[in-house]
Amino acid sequence: MVSVPGKNQIIWKWMINKATKQKIALPTGAVILSVQEQHDRIVLWTLCNPEAPTEIRVLFMYDTGMPIEEPPGKHISTIQAEDGDLILHVFEAEL
């Protein structure tokens, strides 16, 4: 997804779940910047226009060594969660 440049761009964060597959409503054209653990939560940061209508985006999250049964899409980030005991690889589905 490509964000349209404009004066209304802002960096926002979104709390996401530790789930293999999840849908998240983001402003249309939001650029995913990073996914990391913050205060024991998984957080996704985007550059977006908060006034844009939302669109559904699909994220996949896999543990290291976990079988991947469908194409995972574009790699977004690798997270070391739970003090490094859990390594998660985050992908965005290419719709």
Side-chain angles (χ1 to χ4, degrees):
M1 307 291 166
V2 177
S3 181
V4 178
K7 294 180 182 178
N8 296 329
Q9 296 290 307
I10 190 168
I11 296 175
W12 269 10
K13 73 178 185 180
W14 315 84
M15 303 299 176
I16 61 175
N17 298 314
K18 293 177 189 170
T20 302
K21 182 178 182 179
Q22 60 190 295
K23 295 179 181 178
I24 183 169
L26 297 175
T28 300
V31 175
I32 297 174
L33 301 174
S34 183
V35 181
Q36 296 181 33
E37 185 178 53
Q38 182 184 41
H39 307 298
D40 298 321
R41 298 286 315 263
I42 303 297
V43 180
L44 176 142
W45 283 270
T46 65
L47 175 65
C48 64
N49 177 345
E51 298 173 10
T54 60
E55 63 183 355
I56 299 299
R57 309 273 283 269
V58 179
L59 302 177
F60 292 98
M61 198 174 301
Y62 299 100
D63 297 3
T64 298
M66 182 179 182
I68 298 174
E69 298 185 12
E70 54 185 297
K74 178 185 173 193
H75 180 260
I76 300 297
S77 190
T78 296
I79 306 162
Q80 294 189 41
E82 299 175 11
D83 294 322
D85 292 333
L86 178 62
I87 309 301
L88 299 169
H89 308 277
V90 183
F91 296 83
E92 181 179 8
E94 296 176 356
L95 303 177

